[in-house]
Amino acid sequence: MVKLSLIIPAYNEEKTIENTTKAYVDFLNKKLKNDYEIIIIPNGCTDATVEKVQNLSKNYKQVKYFDLGFPGQKGKAVIKGFELASSDLIGFVDADLSTSPEAFYDLILNIKDNDGIIASRALKNSKILTKQSWHRRFSGKSFSFIVNSVLSLDFYDTQCVAQFFKKEAIKKIYKQIIISGLAFVINILYLMKLYNFKVIEI
């Protein structure tokens, strides 16, 4: 069994999926050799994403894929990835390389004794190479404030799609995720809290 499963949901990502996958393969080969897998989940793509993913799985033995066959939202793709993954560490990132392999690897290095770890763009020491517009930053902070207030969570950035969890934790909760839209990450964090799993933010 490999130690790491990286899930990449992909909807109409024909322009990005090859570069993103190759970047992660090249980086992870250096860090983990063959001790990882990348699970790409196309969901109802209407472009050439599926064909490109099929070729990637032929060229790289670490790359697997499952085509949902319908335009499910990002959450459904990630949930399917949780179902397929069996590694000690299971996580996900976006298909557009908004999280670099180096930044993603920081999550692995820092999870330590915790059950989960999420990347944050809102902490004082967060390093943002490409800043979002001010209104997106404002709406994101406002959304996180409301979510934290209502659900008693304690995270500065609940919407950053770069998260990792230990197998025991994610396998315990993934079948109970009922939100498939952008707020699916909040559903994950709330369930983690509900089951007393410890998740940190870096």
Side-chain angles (χ1 to χ4, degrees), residues 82 168-177 187-188 191-192 195 197:
F82 287 154
E168 177 185 359
I170 205 63
K171 292 295 186 180
K172 178 80 172 179
I173 64 100
Y174 84 91
K175 290 183 179 179
Q176 300 175 58
I177 302 170
N187 202 164
I188 293 173
L191 288 168
M192 288 287 171
Y195 283 95
F197 289 120

Short mmCIF file of all heavy atoms in Angstrom, two decimals, residues 82 168-177 187-188 191-192 195 197:
data_model
loop_
_atom_site.label_atom_id
_atom_site.label_comp_id
_atom_site.label_asym_id
_atom_site.label_seq_id
_atom_site.Cartn_x
_atom_site.Cartn_y
_atom_site.Cartn_z
N PHE A 82 -11.97 9.95 -2.16
CA PHE A 82 -11.85 9.41 -0.80
C PHE A 82 -12.22 7.92 -0.79
O PHE A 82 -11.59 7.12 -0.10
CB PHE A 82 -12.77 10.15 0.17
CG PHE A 82 -12.32 11.54 0.51
CD1 PHE A 82 -13.25 12.50 0.90
CD2 PHE A 82 -10.99 11.91 0.46
CE1 PHE A 82 -12.86 13.79 1.25
CE2 PHE A 82 -10.58 13.19 0.80
CZ PHE A 82 -11.52 14.13 1.19
N GLU A 168 -7.55 7.08 8.77
CA GLU A 168 -8.54 6.73 9.79
C GLU A 168 -9.61 7.81 9.91
O GLU A 168 -10.81 7.51 10.05
CB GLU A 168 -7.86 6.54 11.14
CG GLU A 168 -8.82 6.24 12.28
CD GLU A 168 -8.13 6.18 13.64
OE1 GLU A 168 -6.89 6.35 13.69
OE2 GLU A 168 -8.84 5.97 14.64
N ALA A 169 -9.20 9.07 9.84
CA ALA A 169 -10.14 10.18 10.00
C ALA A 169 -11.05 10.32 8.80
O ALA A 169 -12.28 10.40 8.94
CB ALA A 169 -9.37 11.48 10.24
N ILE A 170 -10.48 10.36 7.61
CA ILE A 170 -11.30 10.63 6.42
C ILE A 170 -12.22 9.46 6.10
O ILE A 170 -13.36 9.64 5.64
CB ILE A 170 -10.42 11.00 5.21
CG1 ILE A 170 -11.23 11.86 4.22
CG2 ILE A 170 -9.85 9.79 4.50
CD1 ILE A 170 -11.69 13.18 4.77
N LYS A 171 -11.77 8.23 6.35
CA LYS A 171 -12.63 7.07 6.10
C LYS A 171 -13.80 7.02 7.07
O LYS A 171 -14.83 6.42 6.78
CB LYS A 171 -11.81 5.78 6.17
CG LYS A 171 -10.80 5.61 5.03
CD LYS A 171 -11.48 5.47 3.68
CE LYS A 171 -10.47 5.15 2.58
NZ LYS A 171 -11.09 5.00 1.24
N LYS A 172 -13.63 7.66 8.22
CA LYS A 172 -14.69 7.70 9.23
C LYS A 172 -15.82 8.63 8.81
O LYS A 172 -17.00 8.36 9.10
CB LYS A 172 -14.10 8.17 10.57
CG LYS A 172 -15.11 8.31 11.70
CD LYS A 172 -15.42 7.00 12.34
CE LYS A 172 -16.27 7.16 13.58
NZ LYS A 172 -16.60 5.87 14.22
N ILE A 173 -15.48 9.71 8.09
CA ILE A 173 -16.49 10.74 7.88
C ILE A 173 -16.95 10.93 6.43
O ILE A 173 -17.99 11.55 6.18
CB ILE A 173 -15.99 12.10 8.43
CG1 ILE A 173 -14.75 12.61 7.67
CG2 ILE A 173 -15.68 12.01 9.91
CD1 ILE A 173 -15.01 13.64 6.63
N TYR A 174 -16.22 10.41 5.44
CA TYR A 174 -16.49 10.85 4.07
C TYR A 174 -17.89 10.47 3.56
O TYR A 174 -18.48 11.19 2.75
CB TYR A 174 -15.40 10.35 3.11
CG TYR A 174 -15.59 8.94 2.58
CD1 TYR A 174 -16.27 8.71 1.39
CD2 TYR A 174 -15.07 7.85 3.25
CE1 TYR A 174 -16.44 7.43 0.90
CE2 TYR A 174 -15.23 6.57 2.78
CZ TYR A 174 -15.92 6.37 1.60
OH TYR A 174 -16.09 5.09 1.11
N LYS A 175 -18.43 9.36 4.03
CA LYS A 175 -19.77 8.95 3.58
C LYS A 175 -20.86 9.87 4.13
O LYS A 175 -22.00 9.83 3.65
CB LYS A 175 -20.04 7.51 4.00
CG LYS A 175 -19.21 6.49 3.24
CD LYS A 175 -19.59 5.07 3.65
CE LYS A 175 -18.78 4.05 2.88
NZ LYS A 175 -19.12 2.65 3.27
N GLN A 176 -20.51 10.69 5.12
CA GLN A 176 -21.49 11.58 5.72
C GLN A 176 -21.45 12.99 5.13
O GLN A 176 -22.20 13.87 5.56
CB GLN A 176 -21.27 11.65 7.22
CG GLN A 176 -21.40 10.29 7.91
CD GLN A 176 -21.06 10.38 9.38
OE1 GLN A 176 -21.65 11.13 10.14
NE2 GLN A 176 -20.07 9.60 9.81
N ILE A 177 -20.57 13.22 4.16
CA ILE A 177 -20.50 14.52 3.51
C ILE A 177 -21.72 14.68 2.60
O ILE A 177 -21.93 13.89 1.69
CB ILE A 177 -19.21 14.67 2.68
CG1 ILE A 177 -17.98 14.48 3.58
CG2 ILE A 177 -19.16 16.03 2.00
CD1 ILE A 177 -16.67 14.38 2.82
N ASN A 187 -18.11 21.17 5.18
CA ASN A 187 -18.75 19.93 5.64
C ASN A 187 -17.70 18.97 6.21
O ASN A 187 -17.90 18.35 7.26
CB ASN A 187 -19.49 19.28 4.47
CG ASN A 187 -20.58 18.33 4.89
OD1 ASN A 187 -21.44 17.97 4.08
ND2 ASN A 187 -20.59 17.90 6.13
N ILE A 188 -16.56 18.87 5.53
CA ILE A 188 -15.47 18.00 6.01
C ILE A 188 -14.97 18.48 7.38
O ILE A 188 -14.84 17.70 8.32
CB ILE A 188 -14.31 17.98 5.00
CG1 ILE A 188 -14.74 17.30 3.70
CG2 ILE A 188 -13.09 17.27 5.60
CD1 ILE A 188 -13.70 17.39 2.59
N LEU A 191 -17.44 17.83 10.20
CA LEU A 191 -17.48 16.42 10.60
C LEU A 191 -16.23 16.03 11.38
O LEU A 191 -16.30 15.25 12.34
CB LEU A 191 -17.63 15.53 9.37
CG LEU A 191 -19.01 15.57 8.70
CD1 LEU A 191 -18.96 14.89 7.33
CD2 LEU A 191 -20.06 14.91 9.57
N MET A 192 -15.09 16.59 10.99
CA MET A 192 -13.86 16.33 11.74
C MET A 192 -14.00 16.81 13.18
O MET A 192 -13.60 16.12 14.13
CB MET A 192 -12.67 17.03 11.06
CG MET A 192 -12.23 16.40 9.76
SD MET A 192 -11.36 14.84 10.05
CE MET A 192 -11.23 14.23 8.35
N TYR A 195 -16.34 14.54 15.27
CA TYR A 195 -15.74 13.28 15.72
C TYR A 195 -14.45 13.48 16.51
O TYR A 195 -13.69 12.54 16.73
CB TYR A 195 -15.49 12.37 14.51
CG TYR A 195 -16.74 11.70 14.00
CD1 TYR A 195 -17.47 12.26 12.96
CD2 TYR A 195 -17.21 10.52 14.56
CE1 TYR A 195 -18.62 11.66 12.48
CE2 TYR A 195 -18.36 9.91 14.10
CZ TYR A 195 -19.07 10.49 13.06
OH TYR A 195 -20.22 9.89 12.60
N PHE A 197 -11.67 14.87 15.76
CA PHE A 197 -10.40 14.76 15.08
C PHE A 197 -9.74 16.14 15.08
O PHE A 197 -10.42 17.16 14.92
CB PHE A 197 -10.58 14.28 13.64
CG PHE A 197 -10.99 12.84 13.53
CD1 PHE A 197 -12.19 12.48 12.90
CD2 PHE A 197 -10.18 11.82 14.04
CE1 PHE A 197 -12.56 11.16 12.79
CE2 PHE A 197 -10.55 10.49 13.94
CZ PHE A 197 -11.75 10.16 13.32
#
